């Protein structure tokens, strides 16, 4: 985030368990870099990686589109 100009976009691709909420993780990273962020969009895994109903681990992929302020 330190390398992104103010108003620039960043994409965070995360594969997380429920240990730490995604918003908390990216907010912490922004704070450590001295920046603020806006979450513009949330996405999950692509169509080639569908979530399986009986395998909760397959729903852990998250993609965030961020604006770095």
């Amino acid at each position: 985030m330190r390398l992104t100009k103010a108003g620039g976009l960043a994409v965070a691709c995360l594969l997380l368990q429920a240990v730490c909420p995604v918003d908390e993780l990216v907010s912490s990273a922004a704070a450590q870099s001295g920046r603020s962020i806006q979450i513009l969009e949330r996405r999950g895994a692509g169509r080639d990686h569908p979530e399986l109903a009986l395998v909760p681990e397959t729903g852990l992929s998250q993609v965030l589109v961020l604006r770095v302020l």
Side-chain angles (χ1 to χ4, degrees), residues 1-2 4-12 14 22-42 64-69:
M1 291 185 200
R2 286 178 276 149
T4 305
K5 293 181 181 180
L9 300 178
V11 176
L14 308 156
V22 173
D23 293 3
E24 185 179 313
L25 183 67
V26 294
S27 294
S28 175
Q32 287 179 15
S33 67
R35 307 295 291 273
S36 295
I37 56 168
Q38 294 175 322
I39 299 174
L40 302 177
E41 193 171 333
R42 297 172 191 271
L64 299 178
V65 178
L66 311 168
R67 178 177 292 130
V68 181
L69 304 173

